[in-house]
Amino acid sequence: MLYFQLVILAGTVMLAYYFEYTDTFSVHVQGFFCYDSALTKPYLGGEERSAVPPALLYALVAGLPTLMIMVTETVLFLVQYTSKEFDRLETTVATGDCCYLNPLVRRTFRFLGVYTFGLFTVDIFVNAGQVVTGNLAPYFLTVCKPNFTALGCQQALRYISHQEACTGDQGDILRARKTFPSKEAALSVYGALYLAMYVTCTVRAKGTRLAKPVVSLTLVCLAFLTGLNRVAEYRNHWADVIAGFVIGGAIATFLVVCVVHNFKGKLLLGEDPPPSPSQDPLPGGSVLNMGRVDASLEKYIASQIWNADKGFMTMEADFQEPHRLR
């Protein structure tokens, strides 16, 4: 099953790569109305000039959960490891038939593997939505630079549907056609919710009753501010950001609840399970079982002897009855 899961993860990564860095899936060309005020917002430059540039966002989304999960799992493992006797704990678990993994490594890779899978899943969902809809950014007409006179835009309600209407930079135009849903909003909410639920479900130390809500709400607030920044910089519509929030939150909730089951599981394998009623815990269990069998045999033999004696006495009485009559 481990190899099968790795194959699924590799396929997810490849699909996200094809969506992100190749032209395998062409973007739907959506038309626009002449002088549409919703598409004439100013263009503030490339994504790297944003208040939350992609490099910073991706570093936080990938690095912060990884660091926090590794540190938390290590601390919890050490606390539990030192709180019990060494000879009463089993510190390794089997993985397949070839190797053994420490429970710390197993849990950490499980949670981070699911998180990584979710990241690429969010990216695939977002890219699929952007390719299918081709929704236009608020600054689309600014970078499109259409010749309204040549297009016959004497009336503002005239609809332009052909791709050749734009005369601006083709790279900027392509990015302006891929805004629904917002990738930045989806990734930020996914990372924030996954990490918030991890902290809430895993950390159960005393004195964290208020610390856990503060950390969780801080993460969610940062993700919310990321979506607001996209709207404030005219890079996305409100509908784009809300759709990104829904996608990221739904995938994070599904993975936490249905896949990792609210991060339940022991850091260390507990003590040996109690023997079932069908098993004898004593080393001399076989002798006791033989004793029970011998006792049953003795009862059976005694009952047979008693029945035989009773039958013999009955036959003897029948034989003596005629002599008494004489």
Side-chain angles (χ1 to χ4, degrees):
M1 293 301 295
L2 176 62
Y3 302 115
F4 180 67
Q5 294 172 8
L6 291 177
V7 170
I8 294 177
L9 181 59
T12 306
V13 173
M14 290 298 298
L15 184 57
Y17 172 82
Y18 278 107
F19 266 117
E20 192 75 28
Y21 298 105
T22 66
D23 55 354
T24 305
F25 305 96
S26 58
V27 181
H28 171 69
V29 178
Q30 187 180 112
F32 58 91
F33 289 98
C34 297
Y35 306 106
D36 189 350
S37 59
L39 305 178
T40 57
K41 299 297 188 294
Y43 180 55
L44 303 181
E47 294 291 341
E48 64 279 358
R49 300 182 61 181
S50 173
V52 185
L56 176 62
L57 177 64
Y58 297 157
L60 290 176
V61 170
L64 184 61
T66 301
L67 179 62
M68 186 171 290
I69 290 175
M70 292 179 64
V71 171
T72 304
E73 289 296 320
T74 303
V75 171
L76 294 177
F77 179 85
L78 293 177
V79 168
Q80 188 177 8
Y81 184 83
T82 56
S83 64
K84 295 183 179 181
E85 299 177 4
F86 174 77
D87 57 352
R88 300 187 68 185
L89 293 174
E90 189 176 345
T91 57
T92 56
V93 293
T95 302
D97 298 329
C98 63
C99 56
Y100 293 90
L101 289 179
N102 187 281
L104 168 64
V105 179
R106 179 176 178 269
R107 277 176 55 96
T108 304
F109 270 92
R110 179 191 176 195
F111 297 154
L112 289 180
V114 172
Y115 178 77
T116 303
F117 171 78
L119 274 180
F120 287 104
T121 303
V122 171
D123 187 79
I124 291 173
F125 271 76
V126 170
N127 281 314
Q130 292 177 351
V131 167
V132 171
T133 61
N135 199 45
L136 305 179
Y139 61 86
F140 175 76
L141 291 181
T142 305
V143 298
C144 177
K145 299 178 181 178
N147 189 339
F148 291 114
T149 303
L151 295 174
C153 290
Q154 286 76 18
Q155 296 180 354
L157 295 180
R158 182 179 177 82
Y159 186 75
I160 309 299
S161 59
H162 51 278
Q163 187 174 4
E164 293 77 10
C166 294
T167 61
D169 183 77
Q170 294 300 318
D172 294 338
I173 295 173
L174 180 61
R175 283 189 294 271
R177 292 185 181 276
K178 300 172 64 177
T179 62
F180 181 88
S182 173
K183 181 182 297 184
E184 289 76 11
L187 291 177
S188 59
V189 165
Y190 168 77
L193 279 183
Y194 189 94
L195 195 55
M197 288 186 282
Y198 171 79
V199 172
T200 303
C201 298
T202 305
V203 180
R204 301 184 181 277
K206 296 181 179 179
T208 60
R209 183 171 298 179
L210 290 179
K212 292 189 293 184
V214 168
V215 174
S216 302
L217 292 177
T218 300
L219 294 171
V220 175
C221 181
L222 291 176
F224 181 70
L225 291 177
T226 301
L228 291 182
N229 177 73
R230 301 294 300 178
V231 177
E233 293 184 346
Y234 308 117
R235 300 183 186 276
N236 287 104
H237 300 280
W238 275 110
D240 307 335
V241 173
I242 293 174
F245 285 163
V246 171
I247 291 176
I251 293 177
T253 304
F254 170 76
L255 293 179
V256 170
V257 175
C258 300
V259 178
V260 295
H261 304 290
N262 296 320
F263 305 101
K264 293 181 180 179
K266 296 181 179 180
L267 288 172
L268 295 175
L269 291 180
E271 303 172 4
D272 294 336
S276 60
S278 61
Q279 296 177 349
D280 203 319
L282 300 177
S286 58
V287 177
L288 296 178
N289 292 334
M290 290 298 297
R292 297 191 187 97
V293 174
D294 293 340
S296 300
L297 287 175
E298 289 177 0
K299 293 180 180 179
Y300 177 76
I301 294 173
S303 64
Q304 294 297 323
I305 293 174
W306 185 81
N307 292 331
D309 292 341
K310 184 178 179 181
F312 178 75
M313 293 174 63
T314 302
M315 291 175 61
E316 184 179 4
D318 294 341
F319 178 75
Q320 293 177 356
E321 187 67 23
H323 297 281
R324 292 177 183 175
L325 294 176
R326 291 176 188 174

